[in-house]
Amino acid sequence: MSVPTRRSAVLSVLTLIGTLAVPIMAAEPAFASGPLRTHAAARGKFIGYAAANGPLSSEAAYRNIAATEFNQVTAENAMKWDATEPSDNNYTFSNADAIVSFAQANNQAIHGHTLVWHSQTPSWVQGLGASAMRTAMQDHISRVVGRYANSVATWDVVNEVFNEDGTFRSSFWYNTLGQSFIADAFRYARAADADAKLCINDYNVEGINAKSTAMYNLVVSLRNQGVPIDCVGFQAHLAVQYGFPNLQANIERFAALGVDVRITELDVRIPLPADSNEITAQNTYYRNVITACNNVARCTGVTIWGFTDKHSWVPGTFPNEGQALIYDANYGVKPAYTAVHDALAGGPPPVDTTPPTTPGTLTASGVTSSSVTLSWGASTDNVAVTGYDILQNGAVRTTVSGTSATVSGLSSSTAYQFAVRARDAAGNTSANSNTVSITTLPGGGGGGCSAVATVQTQWSGGYVIQPVTVTNTGTSQTTSWTVTFTLPSGHAIVGSWNAALTVSGQTVTARNMPYNGTLGPNASTTFGFQVSRPTGSTSVPSGYTCAV
Ligand code: G3I
């Protein structure tokens, strides 16, 4: 057969974008109609499917959807080693060629899956000694990548090299050749096609975890060595019972390395029989994956691992689980299709109109001349409570994330009323809690203080604030003082001295110790503390406020 060229396919896709996307978007809201590929292309992304040769050759409904809805394809099995080189130097490309032909006829970008994997590799390879195995790998990569150099745009060069804890998988590749097989595979692939984008691919690397961090570190190391690696693939075989990973943050950290990110094998399985909550969760997972990819420029697109529940690897591998794809077994669209479609098209996301429940009983304690500590019971929400508004005399004074807070900066000998309400990400707010009334203590005549903090030292994972100098700026002696400040998200106090620190949400309250609360006018004392912070964070606390 003749293999259509990659250049002509890319030009055709661009032509398609130019001819289809603009008129549709101008004529009506983008989300109103159009196949998935139109909306993906308008974003400069791909939406793909994994092609199975059986239905591709024998089912018109399969072919019709595959051609109409997707602008990218990955061969589900046809480009794997056992399919392309079942015995030494005996190559069979008929199934791979059939997928390439269909893709080219329908202007679809082709992703090659996969060159070096511990699975679906014939036993003749697995039994080779080190030198022969490296030669076999080089020959295989050069022959397969070379054949499709003008048609396959991107390759999974190595697949699934990590264990869940981030150590290297003890595969026959690793055990025979050591870690170097990975760099070698990428170099052989680059030698066979200077233009193809070369990827590493794995599962359970969608969120930030030990496995994805190992992959991240490997990408850094390979790039530092000049190994030609261009992209990473997150397979994304998700399951509603295991929760949704922190995908976008993970995409962003890889993108910051200068590599593309692909979602390569998306499906979302459900324990059977599926109930309506699980189907809703599945829709949300599909929508969230598309949205996360939409939100990061270097995420080039999403491939769904099949598209119809009629042909899916899931039931054969996970008994009693299934319905993982976006079309049902009769080629009818499922709500998951609509979720993918609307996320690609930019249609309105589902509107959350359910407010959180009313917070539990509000109480006040620790009243001083200038502050009060409030505590209340947590609210719940159909999605998530994102914060609590503290209402001071009926107006929102501040919003906090925890269920207690110290309100400072109050006037002495003054009556105040406080209530709290919960809010969610959509802006829905609960009913107000009960109201508490307090009167601040007398100020003792012109009380006041200041707090000035100094960053003594800092490193990537933390810092020391020392000294925080507390000065009595009033005209009479104090017997106590309170300094509040805001801790950046993700930071944690690991130690303090010369003050007692309590943390509520992002608000830290530092109170004097028994021995340093008394300060005459203009007198000062100091305290300090140490904080840990996530690697990469460079922020330090802010908003130091002192009250006596
Ligand atoms: O083609 C033969 C058929 O002739 C035979 O009658 C039948 C009997 O079992 O087997 C058929 O081959 C099967 C092949 O799929 C094609 O359907 C293999 O047994 C079966 O093991 C193979 O499963 C594939 C699996 O990878 C192998 O590990 C799945 O289709 C494929 O979806 C799956 O894909 C992998 C990705 O490559 C990597 N990431 C995980 C993903 C899911 O496991």
Side-chain angles (χ1 to χ4, degrees), residues 76-77 80 113-114 117 119-120 159-160 201 203 235 237 265 305 313 317:
E76 185 175 3
N77 287 297
K80 293 172 180 174
H113 173 79
T114 177
W117 190 22
S119 180
Q120 286 179 282
N159 192 37
E160 301 176 3
N201 189 51
Y203 61 90
Q235 293 187 7
H237 293 293
E265 304 181 15
W305 205 238
W313 71 291
T317 303

Side-chain angles (χ1 to χ4, degrees), residues 7 107 152 172 208 214 221 241 245 296 314 327 365 384 393 523 525:
R7 182 179 299 260
N107 301 309
V152 172
F172 66 88
I208 295 177
S221 158
Q241 67 272 31
V296 185
V314 169
Y327 287 79
S365 62
N393 296 338
T525 189

